Every structure is written in structure tokens, then in C-alpha cells.
Amino acid sequence: MLLKLDSGGHIGCKDLEVIDCVAYQFEPLSEVSYNVLDGELLEDGPIQARIIPGGAQFFAGEGA
């Protein structure tokens, strides 16, 4: 599944459940956690995020 992340092929994996949401919060199950976001280490504790409509735009095209 991890090998398919770059192409989006992981969405079709039978062991993956996709849940539509507008916000989420991850709470660690242990006292010490190791969390990264875009390669940056985050502090221990809950992680909370909200989806911003139109917050990202993607452009794709054929290479030269």
C-alpha cells in the first residue's frame, strides 16, 4: 500500500477504509509518541486539523 501513495493507488486497497471528514483529532495511546508532518517533528500530544475548502489546488499535465 505504501508503494502506491505517490500515485493515489492506495485508495483502492482492500485493507484501507476511507472516511470523509471536515476535521479530525489524533490522540496518542502512549505517553511518548513520535509524530512528523512534512518531515518536521511535532510535539507529543493530540494532533488536530481541519479541512479548508479550496485550501489546495493541484495542476497536472504531460511532461515536456
Side-chain angles (χ1 to χ4, degrees), residues 11-22:
I11 298 297
C13 291
K14 66 179 178 93
D15 295 323
L16 176 71
E17 181 179 359
V18 177
I19 300 172
D20 291 330
C21 65
V22 294

Side-chain angles (χ1 to χ4, degrees), residues 23-64:
Y24 62 87
Q25 180 170 332
F26 292 123
E27 296 186 16
L29 298 176
S30 64
E31 292 292 320
V32 178
S33 62
Y34 181 78
N35 300 301
V36 294
L37 176 65
D38 290 336
E40 299 292 327
L41 184 61
L42 301 174
E43 293 181 21
D44 287 347
I47 299 172
Q48 186 171 309
R50 179 173 54 102
I51 309 302
I52 301 172
Q57 295 181 354
F58 299 92
F59 299 93
E62 293 184 28

